[in-house]
Amino acid sequence: MNITFKDKKLMKTAGDLRKLIQAYGKRRGELIRRRLDDLRAAETLEDTQHLPGQYHELTGNRKGQWACDLDQPYRLIFIPHEDPIPVNDDGQYQWGEIRGVEIIEIADYH
């Protein structure tokens, strides 16, 4: 899957394990790297549904965003490249049609 980043700072940090560890600590930095590797290896977002990290759609004011677990309570948050996001007749997002994501933040949104 194609991955882009919201800004250059996030892209530079995510591209260097040493910088990830410096910015987020050893455990979280390594988890971020692992989740990014999993996303890159996936052909579509549907391929992530059975991976560690509980990839899930967000709701409310974050509708249209996805997240995966890092260490509690932090999440890697991203949006699909597809615009509009593909949906079926019932309005459910079609994970199998999402082939790229933009990482927008690493945060505790709870």
Side-chain angles (χ1 to χ4, degrees), residues 13 18 28 37 39 55 65-66 71-72 74 93 109:
T13 302
R18 195 181 101 251
R28 189 174 308 142
D37 288 346
L39 282 168
Y55 291 78
Q65 297 178 0
W66 271 254
D71 56 330
Q72 286 294 343
Y74 286 86
Y93 292 129
Y109 55 76

Side-chain angles (χ1 to χ4, degrees), residues 59-65:
T59 58
N61 65 343
R62 287 190 174 267
K63 185 167 177 58
Q65 297 178 0

Side-chain angles (χ1 to χ4, degrees), residues 63-66 79-87 93-94 97-102:
K63 185 167 177 58
Q65 297 178 0
W66 271 254
I79 57 174
H81 285 166
E82 287 74 15
D83 186 20
I85 301 170
V87 295
Y93 292 129
Q94 296 297 287
E97 295 182 30
I98 297 171
R99 299 185 179 281
V101 296
E102 178 178 315

Side-chain angles (χ1 to χ4, degrees), residues 5 9 15 32 44 63 71 89 92 102 104-105 108-109:
F5 296 87
K9 180 180 179 189
I32 293 166
T44 69
K63 185 167 177 58
D71 56 330
D89 292 338
Q92 298 170 321
E102 178 178 315
I104 57 172
E105 66 180 320
D108 169 12
Y109 55 76

Side-chain angles (χ1 to χ4, degrees), residues 5 12-13 19 22-23 26 37 43 48 51 56 61 69 71 78-79 85 93 96 100 107:
F5 296 87
K12 283 184 176 185
T13 302
K19 288 181 181 178
Q22 219 170 25
K26 183 170 176 49
D37 288 346
E43 190 171 315
T48 65
L51 294 175
H56 55 283
N61 65 343
D69 296 348
D71 56 330
F78 53 92
I79 57 174
I85 301 170
Y93 292 129

